[in-house]
Short mmCIF file of all heavy atoms in Angstrom, two decimals:
data_model
loop_
_atom_site.label_atom_id
_atom_site.label_comp_id
_atom_site.label_asym_id
_atom_site.label_seq_id
_atom_site.Cartn_x
_atom_site.Cartn_y
_atom_site.Cartn_z
N ASP A 1 0.79 -1.19 0.06
CA ASP A 1 0.08 0.00 -0.04
C ASP A 1 0.81 1.26 0.01
O ASP A 1 0.46 2.26 -0.52
CB ASP A 1 -0.92 -0.01 1.18
CG ASP A 1 -1.96 -1.09 1.16
OD1 ASP A 1 -2.36 -1.47 -0.04
OD2 ASP A 1 -2.43 -1.62 2.18
N TRP A 2 2.02 1.25 0.61
CA TRP A 2 2.90 2.43 0.70
C TRP A 2 3.75 2.75 -0.53
O TRP A 2 4.47 3.67 -0.54
CB TRP A 2 3.81 2.32 1.93
CG TRP A 2 4.50 0.93 1.94
CD1 TRP A 2 4.15 -0.14 2.70
CD2 TRP A 2 5.74 0.56 1.25
NE1 TRP A 2 5.05 -1.25 2.46
CE2 TRP A 2 5.98 -0.80 1.67
CE3 TRP A 2 6.57 1.19 0.40
CZ2 TRP A 2 7.09 -1.45 1.03
CZ3 TRP A 2 7.67 0.55 -0.14
CH2 TRP A 2 7.89 -0.77 0.26
N CYS A 3 3.67 1.79 -1.54
CA CYS A 3 4.55 1.84 -2.72
C CYS A 3 3.97 2.69 -3.78
O CYS A 3 2.93 2.36 -4.30
CB CYS A 3 4.84 0.34 -3.17
SG CYS A 3 5.45 0.19 -4.83
N GLY A 4 4.69 3.82 -4.13
CA GLY A 4 4.16 4.72 -5.16
C GLY A 4 3.97 4.03 -6.49
O GLY A 4 2.84 4.14 -7.05
N PRO A 5 4.97 3.32 -7.15
CA PRO A 5 4.76 2.70 -8.35
C PRO A 5 3.66 1.63 -8.29
O PRO A 5 2.96 1.44 -9.29
CB PRO A 5 6.16 2.05 -8.69
CG PRO A 5 7.12 2.89 -7.90
CD PRO A 5 6.38 3.33 -6.61
N CYS A 6 3.40 1.00 -7.16
CA CYS A 6 2.32 -0.01 -7.05
C CYS A 6 1.08 0.65 -7.20
O CYS A 6 0.11 0.14 -7.81
CB CYS A 6 2.48 -0.67 -5.68
SG CYS A 6 4.04 -1.66 -5.34
N ARG A 7 0.86 1.91 -6.66
CA ARG A 7 -0.32 2.60 -6.69
C ARG A 7 -0.60 3.05 -8.13
O ARG A 7 -1.75 3.19 -8.51
CB ARG A 7 -0.33 3.85 -5.79
CG ARG A 7 -0.43 3.39 -4.26
CD ARG A 7 -0.88 4.56 -3.30
NE ARG A 7 0.07 5.68 -3.36
CZ ARG A 7 1.07 5.81 -2.48
NH1 ARG A 7 1.29 4.82 -1.51
NH2 ARG A 7 1.84 6.83 -2.53
N MET A 8 0.42 3.25 -8.92
CA MET A 8 0.29 3.57 -10.40
C MET A 8 -0.18 2.37 -11.13
O MET A 8 -1.07 2.41 -12.00
CB MET A 8 1.56 4.10 -10.97
CG MET A 8 1.98 5.42 -10.46
SD MET A 8 3.66 5.96 -10.88
CE MET A 8 4.02 5.29 -12.40
N VAL A 9 0.32 1.17 -10.73
CA VAL A 9 -0.09 -0.11 -11.43
C VAL A 9 -1.44 -0.54 -11.06
O VAL A 9 -2.17 -1.15 -11.86
CB VAL A 9 0.96 -1.20 -11.20
CG1 VAL A 9 0.54 -2.54 -11.70
CG2 VAL A 9 2.28 -0.79 -11.84
N GLY A 10 -1.93 -0.30 -9.83
CA GLY A 10 -3.15 -0.77 -9.32
C GLY A 10 -4.39 -0.54 -10.19
O GLY A 10 -5.04 -1.51 -10.57
N PRO A 11 -4.65 0.66 -10.66
CA PRO A 11 -5.81 0.95 -11.55
C PRO A 11 -5.67 0.20 -12.94
O PRO A 11 -6.69 -0.23 -13.50
CB PRO A 11 -5.77 2.43 -11.74
CG PRO A 11 -4.92 3.01 -10.54
CD PRO A 11 -3.95 1.99 -10.26
N VAL A 12 -4.46 0.08 -13.35
CA VAL A 12 -4.28 -0.64 -14.65
C VAL A 12 -4.61 -2.13 -14.53
O VAL A 12 -5.27 -2.69 -15.37
CB VAL A 12 -2.73 -0.51 -15.11
CG1 VAL A 12 -2.49 -1.39 -16.36
CG2 VAL A 12 -2.40 0.99 -15.35
N VAL A 13 -4.17 -2.75 -13.33
CA VAL A 13 -4.49 -4.11 -13.06
C VAL A 13 -5.95 -4.31 -12.97
O VAL A 13 -6.53 -5.25 -13.46
CB VAL A 13 -3.66 -4.56 -11.84
CG1 VAL A 13 -4.20 -5.90 -11.33
CG2 VAL A 13 -2.21 -4.56 -12.08
N GLU A 14 -6.72 -3.34 -12.33
CA GLU A 14 -8.12 -3.42 -12.21
C GLU A 14 -8.81 -3.33 -13.55
O GLU A 14 -9.71 -4.10 -13.83
CB GLU A 14 -8.59 -2.17 -11.32
CG GLU A 14 -8.23 -2.21 -9.87
CD GLU A 14 -9.13 -3.06 -9.02
OE1 GLU A 14 -10.24 -3.45 -9.47
OE2 GLU A 14 -8.71 -3.30 -7.88
N GLU A 15 -8.31 -2.45 -14.38
CA GLU A 15 -8.93 -2.34 -15.80
C GLU A 15 -8.83 -3.64 -16.55
O GLU A 15 -9.77 -4.08 -17.11
CB GLU A 15 -8.18 -1.28 -16.63
CG GLU A 15 -8.67 0.09 -16.49
CD GLU A 15 -7.83 1.10 -17.36
OE1 GLU A 15 -7.64 0.76 -18.54
OE2 GLU A 15 -7.56 2.08 -16.87
N ILE A 16 -7.66 -4.31 -16.47
CA ILE A 16 -7.41 -5.54 -17.16
C ILE A 16 -8.39 -6.57 -16.61
O ILE A 16 -8.94 -7.36 -17.37
CB ILE A 16 -5.93 -5.97 -17.03
CG1 ILE A 16 -5.08 -5.02 -17.84
CG2 ILE A 16 -5.80 -7.42 -17.63
CD1 ILE A 16 -3.57 -5.22 -17.71
N ALA A 17 -8.50 -6.65 -15.24
CA ALA A 17 -9.46 -7.57 -14.70
C ALA A 17 -10.87 -7.40 -15.13
O ALA A 17 -11.54 -8.40 -15.45
CB ALA A 17 -9.34 -7.42 -13.12
N ASN A 18 -11.34 -6.19 -15.34
CA ASN A 18 -12.64 -5.87 -15.69
C ASN A 18 -12.90 -6.12 -17.23
O ASN A 18 -13.96 -6.38 -17.68
CB ASN A 18 -13.02 -4.46 -15.40
CG ASN A 18 -13.17 -4.28 -13.90
OD1 ASN A 18 -13.49 -5.21 -13.10
ND2 ASN A 18 -12.87 -3.15 -13.45
N GLU A 19 -11.80 -5.91 -18.11
CA GLU A 19 -12.00 -6.00 -19.49
C GLU A 19 -11.61 -7.24 -20.13
O GLU A 19 -12.01 -7.52 -21.22
CB GLU A 19 -11.13 -4.79 -20.13
CG GLU A 19 -11.64 -3.48 -19.74
CD GLU A 19 -10.69 -2.32 -20.23
OE1 GLU A 19 -9.78 -2.63 -21.09
OE2 GLU A 19 -10.77 -1.23 -19.74
N TYR A 20 -10.82 -8.09 -19.38
CA TYR A 20 -10.28 -9.37 -20.03
C TYR A 20 -10.68 -10.49 -19.14
O TYR A 20 -9.79 -11.03 -18.39
CB TYR A 20 -8.76 -9.28 -20.23
CG TYR A 20 -8.48 -8.22 -21.31
CD1 TYR A 20 -8.22 -6.92 -20.89
CD2 TYR A 20 -8.30 -8.49 -22.63
CE1 TYR A 20 -7.85 -5.91 -21.82
CE2 TYR A 20 -7.98 -7.63 -23.51
CZ TYR A 20 -7.77 -6.30 -23.14
OH TYR A 20 -7.48 -5.27 -24.11
N PRO A 21 -11.87 -11.02 -19.21
CA PRO A 21 -12.28 -12.24 -18.33
C PRO A 21 -11.55 -13.46 -18.66
O PRO A 21 -11.64 -14.43 -17.80
CB PRO A 21 -13.79 -12.28 -18.56
CG PRO A 21 -13.95 -11.66 -19.94
CD PRO A 21 -12.99 -10.67 -20.09
N GLU A 22 -10.82 -13.51 -19.73
CA GLU A 22 -10.05 -14.81 -20.05
C GLU A 22 -8.86 -14.93 -19.22
O GLU A 22 -8.21 -15.94 -19.19
CB GLU A 22 -9.71 -14.83 -21.53
CG GLU A 22 -8.82 -13.71 -22.01
CD GLU A 22 -9.42 -12.47 -22.58
OE1 GLU A 22 -10.49 -12.13 -22.09
OE2 GLU A 22 -8.86 -11.84 -23.47
N TYR A 23 -8.52 -13.86 -18.46
CA TYR A 23 -7.31 -13.95 -17.56
C TYR A 23 -7.90 -13.81 -16.14
O TYR A 23 -8.86 -13.15 -15.82
CB TYR A 23 -6.36 -12.83 -17.81
CG TYR A 23 -5.89 -12.79 -19.17
CD1 TYR A 23 -6.04 -11.65 -19.95
CD2 TYR A 23 -5.15 -13.82 -19.74
CE1 TYR A 23 -5.55 -11.62 -21.29
CE2 TYR A 23 -4.66 -13.81 -21.06
CZ TYR A 23 -4.90 -12.72 -21.90
OH TYR A 23 -4.38 -12.66 -23.13
N LYS A 24 -7.04 -14.33 -15.12
CA LYS A 24 -7.41 -14.19 -13.74
C LYS A 24 -6.36 -13.17 -13.19
O LYS A 24 -5.13 -13.42 -13.45
CB LYS A 24 -7.30 -15.50 -12.97
CG LYS A 24 -7.72 -15.42 -11.58
CD LYS A 24 -7.58 -16.75 -10.89
CE LYS A 24 -8.81 -17.60 -11.12
NZ LYS A 24 -8.96 -18.73 -10.28
N ILE A 25 -6.84 -12.13 -12.54
CA ILE A 25 -5.87 -11.11 -12.05
C ILE A 25 -5.92 -11.15 -10.57
O ILE A 25 -6.93 -11.10 -9.94
CB ILE A 25 -6.37 -9.74 -12.60
CG1 ILE A 25 -6.61 -9.71 -14.12
CG2 ILE A 25 -5.34 -8.66 -12.22
CD1 ILE A 25 -5.39 -10.22 -14.95
N CYS A 26 -4.69 -11.29 -9.99
CA CYS A 26 -4.58 -11.44 -8.55
C CYS A 26 -3.55 -10.49 -7.98
O CYS A 26 -2.57 -10.03 -8.70
CB CYS A 26 -4.07 -12.85 -8.20
SG CYS A 26 -5.20 -14.16 -8.86
N LYS A 27 -3.79 -10.06 -6.76
CA LYS A 27 -2.84 -9.18 -6.05
C LYS A 27 -2.43 -9.77 -4.71
O LYS A 27 -3.28 -10.38 -4.12
CB LYS A 27 -3.51 -7.80 -5.77
CG LYS A 27 -3.80 -7.04 -6.98
CD LYS A 27 -4.46 -5.60 -6.71
CE LYS A 27 -3.44 -4.72 -6.09
NZ LYS A 27 -2.94 -3.65 -7.00
N ILE A 28 -1.09 -9.69 -4.41
CA ILE A 28 -0.60 -10.10 -3.19
C ILE A 28 0.15 -9.04 -2.47
O ILE A 28 1.08 -8.46 -2.99
CB ILE A 28 0.44 -11.35 -3.39
CG1 ILE A 28 -0.28 -12.53 -4.13
CG2 ILE A 28 0.98 -11.77 -2.07
CD1 ILE A 28 0.59 -13.64 -4.46
N ASN A 29 -0.32 -8.68 -1.29
CA ASN A 29 0.30 -7.63 -0.49
C ASN A 29 1.52 -8.23 0.24
O ASN A 29 1.32 -9.16 1.03
CB ASN A 29 -0.74 -7.08 0.57
CG ASN A 29 -0.21 -5.94 1.32
OD1 ASN A 29 0.92 -5.96 1.80
ND2 ASN A 29 -1.03 -4.87 1.50
N VAL A 30 2.65 -7.72 -0.11
CA VAL A 30 3.96 -8.34 0.41
C VAL A 30 4.05 -8.17 1.94
O VAL A 30 4.69 -8.91 2.61
CB VAL A 30 5.18 -7.83 -0.30
CG1 VAL A 30 5.20 -8.16 -1.80
CG2 VAL A 30 5.34 -6.24 -0.14
N ASP A 31 3.47 -7.08 2.40
CA ASP A 31 3.47 -6.90 3.91
C ASP A 31 2.62 -7.89 4.61
O ASP A 31 2.97 -8.29 5.77
CB ASP A 31 3.06 -5.44 4.28
CG ASP A 31 4.01 -4.41 3.84
OD1 ASP A 31 5.26 -4.78 3.70
OD2 ASP A 31 3.68 -3.29 3.52
N GLU A 32 1.49 -8.31 4.02
CA GLU A 32 0.63 -9.24 4.71
C GLU A 32 0.93 -10.64 4.38
O GLU A 32 0.57 -11.59 5.12
CB GLU A 32 -0.84 -8.94 4.26
CG GLU A 32 -1.32 -7.57 4.63
CD GLU A 32 -2.69 -7.23 4.05
OE1 GLU A 32 -3.24 -8.03 3.28
OE2 GLU A 32 -3.13 -6.11 4.32
N GLN A 33 1.65 -10.91 3.31
CA GLN A 33 1.98 -12.32 2.85
C GLN A 33 3.44 -12.44 2.55
O GLN A 33 3.88 -12.77 1.39
CB GLN A 33 1.11 -12.60 1.61
CG GLN A 33 -0.32 -12.46 1.75
CD GLN A 33 -0.97 -13.38 2.75
OE1 GLN A 33 -0.59 -14.54 2.90
NE2 GLN A 33 -1.92 -12.86 3.49
N PRO A 34 4.31 -12.26 3.57
CA PRO A 34 5.78 -12.29 3.30
C PRO A 34 6.25 -13.66 2.86
O PRO A 34 7.20 -13.72 2.11
CB PRO A 34 6.39 -11.88 4.66
CG PRO A 34 5.32 -12.21 5.63
CD PRO A 34 4.03 -11.90 4.93
N GLU A 35 5.48 -14.76 3.28
CA GLU A 35 6.01 -16.06 2.88
C GLU A 35 5.81 -16.22 1.34
O GLU A 35 6.62 -16.84 0.64
CB GLU A 35 5.21 -17.12 3.58
CG GLU A 35 5.39 -17.20 5.07
CD GLU A 35 4.37 -16.27 5.80
OE1 GLU A 35 3.56 -15.57 5.08
OE2 GLU A 35 4.34 -16.24 7.04
N LEU A 36 4.63 -15.74 0.80
CA LEU A 36 4.42 -15.82 -0.57
C LEU A 36 5.48 -15.01 -1.41
O LEU A 36 6.05 -15.46 -2.42
CB LEU A 36 3.02 -15.43 -1.04
CG LEU A 36 1.91 -16.36 -0.59
CD1 LEU A 36 0.54 -15.76 -0.91
CD2 LEU A 36 2.13 -17.77 -1.31
N ALA A 37 5.71 -13.79 -0.94
CA ALA A 37 6.71 -12.94 -1.60
C ALA A 37 8.09 -13.57 -1.59
O ALA A 37 8.80 -13.60 -2.64
CB ALA A 37 6.80 -11.62 -0.89
#
């Protein structure tokens, strides 16, 4: 949440999720999920 470039990518990722149902779009917060990161 604190990452500036991440906040720039966020709306783009949302757009792709809404416009391209053939793909699954997922987000992982590195602060909340350090093991996955």
